Amino acid sequence: MAEIVEMPVSEETRSGPGFTIITGLSGAGRSETAKSLEDLGYFVVDNLPPALLAKMAELASRPGGPARIAIVVDARGGVFFGELSKALEELKNMKIAYRIVFLEAADDDLVNRYEATRHRHPLAPADRVVEGIRKERLMMEGLRGEADLIIDTSGLTPHELRDRIRDAFTNAPPEEGLQVSLISFGFKYGTPRDADLVLDVRFLPNPHWIDQLRPLAGTEERVRTYVMSQQAYETFMTRLRGLLDAVVPGYVEEGKSYLTVAIGCTGGRHRSVVVADELARYFRERGLPASVDHRDLDRA
């Protein structure tokens, strides 16, 4: 079985099963995420009332219990959902490590998925789907802010979502404290909703305006050389590395499990790609696992 990413565990946190709480918006991919974790060796429980989380921890801590547990918590829990904060506090008091994975998507994507499946939204069984989505976003707002990992599934196929889950949960050895995801993108196609940090590199000279470079991607050596030879690039990267040197240790110290950095240029094919690849090298040189997704590389 593949190694699973561990949440940073303080000296006060006892050994025992680690909990992954899968939550987020209905239709955003919670079920697919649960299946992916099950394939990675997790014991998955769907729609467990939050009040039973502590009891589940007690049972799992017994000899022979599952080492990795994923719990799906969602709006179907009705009144039970309001008990989640209390349940998570109980896990903290029991010194049980846990992390929250939050799935979301753009409204249009969610509406299209409901129309395709003809399912009713759990918060709007007799109303428009968009109204259920609105209610659920408001309900989930606080929990989203507490999430360790936010995944925006807008435009993702189930296969692509499974890849994202595998990247997040299998690449890092257990002793690592931070899993880094780097996303290059084009602002003309929208900003990634799940980014912790967004960097705008449109101030750099654009290879698009160089006839010989326009058809090439940022992964090509000629484009990389052009972008990296600019004085503005070197100044920017020097200061960015200094900023990351200051903030990343703080993220690790605070127990943050995942960091998603989005780097954007106009079309997502040249400048952002070069910077994302260089940042991946920066993180890996510091012993932190980093995955790279060039989201808009193949767009016209």
Side-chain angles (χ1 to χ4, degrees), residues 5-292:
V5 180
E6 290 282 0
M7 177 179 178
V9 179
S10 68
E11 293 182 359
E12 295 181 350
T13 302
R14 74 184 186 189
S15 60
F19 275 76
T20 295
I21 311 296
I22 304 170
T23 188
L25 303 180
S26 301
R30 292 186 309 247
S31 296
E32 194 63 47
T33 299
K35 292 177 184 176
S36 298
L37 290 179
E38 193 169 36
D39 290 341
L40 292 174
Y42 276 66
F43 179 79
V44 177
V45 181
D46 189 16
N47 200 26
L48 181 76
L52 298 180
L53 273 176
K55 186 64 176 178
M56 186 71 191
E58 292 178 4
L59 294 173
S61 297
R62 296 177 181 176
R68 303 289 186 268
I69 301 171
I71 307 294
V72 181
V73 179
D74 55 53
R76 289 175 297 168
V79 296
F80 295 110
F81 187 82
E83 300 177 0
L84 182 58
S85 295
K86 179 181 177 181
L88 294 179
E89 191 63 32
E90 286 186 87
L91 291 182
K92 290 179 183 178
N93 294 336
M94 296 170 65
K95 312 302 182 189
I96 299 293
Y98 69 85
R99 54 196 159 187
I100 299 174
V101 179
F102 191 96
L103 284 298
E104 67 176 9
D107 286 3
D108 288 347
D109 286 77
L110 295 174
V111 170
N112 289 338
R113 291 169 191 176
Y114 269 100
E115 289 180 347
T117 61
R118 299 185 180 275
H119 288 165
R120 294 180 176 180
H121 194 284
L123 295 185
D127 205 345
R128 299 173 61 206
V129 170
V130 290
E131 180 61 18
I133 295 171
R134 184 191 67 81
K135 292 178 181 178
E136 193 170 32
R137 284 196 190 280
L138 290 174
M139 176 189 295
M140 295 283 194
E141 187 175 4
L143 186 56
R144 185 186 188 279
E146 296 296 322
D148 298 283
L149 175 63
I150 299 172
I151 300 179
D152 180 7
T153 65
S154 303
L156 292 184
T157 66
H159 178 76
E160 290 169 335
L161 176 56
R162 288 195 294 270
D163 287 344
R164 290 288 299 274
I165 296 300
R166 281 196 296 269
D167 286 343
F169 282 82
T170 65
N171 283 353
E175 65 272 13
E176 298 293 358
L178 189 67
Q179 172 78 20
V180 181
S181 295
L182 299 158
I183 305 172
S184 70
F185 72 96
F187 277 99
K188 65 191 293 185
Y189 303 115
T191 304
R193 296 163 55 95
D194 51 354
D196 299 299
L197 300 174
V198 178
L199 304 175
D200 184 347
V201 298
R202 287 177 291 186
F203 66 91
L204 295 172
N206 192 349
H208 177 81
W209 303 116
I210 309 296
D211 290 340
Q212 301 92 325
L213 301 180
R214 183 178 302 130
L216 303 178
T219 52
E220 297 283 346
E221 190 59 37
R222 290 170 62 189
V223 176
R224 289 175 52 80
T225 299
Y226 175 83
V227 173
M228 296 173 68
S229 66
Q230 306 299 319
Q231 180 60 46
Y233 172 87
E234 185 56 38
T235 300
F236 170 70
M237 291 301 292
T238 297
R239 294 183 178 179
L240 178 58
R241 292 186 194 103
L243 173 64
L244 293 173
D245 284 342
V247 302
V248 169
Y251 288 142
V252 175
E253 183 67 22
E254 288 299 311
K256 187 172 180 61
S257 301
Y258 307 94
L259 176 66
T260 301
V261 183
I263 306 96
C265 60
T266 303
R269 297 195 69 247
H270 297 116
R271 295 163 290 180
S272 61
V273 172
V274 174
V275 174
D277 284 340
E278 286 303 300
L279 284 181
R281 182 174 291 107
Y282 162 88
F283 285 109
R284 290 164 184 163
E285 287 174 349
R286 284 153 180 77
L288 294 172
S291 62
V292 183

